[in-house]
Amino acid sequence: MEEELPEITRADEWVPLVIRTDYTDGPAWREVIAELGRVAEGREWESPVHLVDDRRWDGVTSDAALAAAARDEELSVVFLADGVTMRSPLRPLLALDLGADDDQDLDPVFDQELIDSPPPREVRVVPDAVHMVHGNLQLANVDFPEFADAAAADPEGVVRDVR
């Protein structure tokens, strides 16, 4: 029987959630944290991140992380620091769209195109773009597929901040 993942309690809905799911490279994780911190230093406002660094999340799949993060009804996106994050020099986090579950009650009569071609549910985001992606999704300024399009247009397949 699979152990239930711990509940995540964020104090502020405007703070991005980053969950570490790969524990193979401690120095790489510290680089991710440092890069997220540098973003905060480069802004005129405070931009904290809610980090989950708990070995109970080690090896958790994106589906399991989505299910656990979906308990937070105010959350629109969750970022995973997975194996790709740890191996790539860009340290791209995996952004998962929590709004994707809104598609569960699609009507085949009216929504067949969405059923046949569902929108992207994940995209890679470099650490300095985490706040931009999270904030825009929280405000509903940008839809998740627009970030997927931005990543598809990027030579390295990631979303970058456009400062």
Side-chain angles (χ1 to χ4, degrees):
M1 184 172 166
E2 238 178 79
E3 182 181 330
E4 186 172 322
L5 292 168
E7 187 170 344
I8 301 164
T9 306
R10 295 178 310 134
D12 185 346
E13 72 181 273
W14 296 104
V15 175
L17 174 63
V18 177
I19 302 172
R20 181 181 183 185
T21 62
D22 183 285
Y23 284 80
T24 60
D25 192 338
W29 173 240
R30 287 188 291 281
E31 284 179 30
V32 170
I33 294 170
E35 184 64 28
L36 290 166
R38 273 193 290 282
V39 171
E41 292 169 12
R43 305 250 188 218
E44 294 178 14
W45 64 89
E46 185 179 345
S47 50
V49 176
H50 185 102
L51 297 173
V52 175
D53 189 359
D54 179 334
R55 285 200 175 269
R56 291 179 287 180
W57 290 87
D58 189 16
V60 168
T61 65
S62 57
D63 287 340
L66 267 174
R71 293 182 221 154
D72 182 340
E73 295 176 4
E74 301 298 322
L75 192 61
S76 57
V77 62
V78 62
F79 300 90
L80 303 184
D82 61 1
V84 173
T85 305
M86 302 308 171
R87 290 187 301 273
S88 170
L90 291 176
R91 303 287 180 236
L93 298 149
L94 181 63
L96 302 173
D97 180 16
L98 279 109
D101 287 342
D102 297 342
D103 299 348
Q104 298 301 323
D105 298 323
L106 293 176
D107 183 340
V109 173
F110 300 104
D111 303 311
Q112 192 60 48
E113 186 177 337
L114 274 176
I115 293 168
D116 292 341
S117 300
R121 308 226 187 267
E122 59 185 47
V123 68
R124 291 281 166 187
V125 178
V126 293
D128 75 346
V130 164
H131 288 90
M132 182 267 302
V133 169
H134 177 263
N136 277 296
L137 289 171
Q138 285 294 102
L139 292 169
N141 286 341
V142 179
D143 291 331
F144 199 87
E146 291 178 68
F147 287 118
D149 291 345
D154 182 84
E156 296 183 270
V158 298
V159 176
R160 298 174 192 270
D161 197 353
V162 289
R163 288 188 214 183

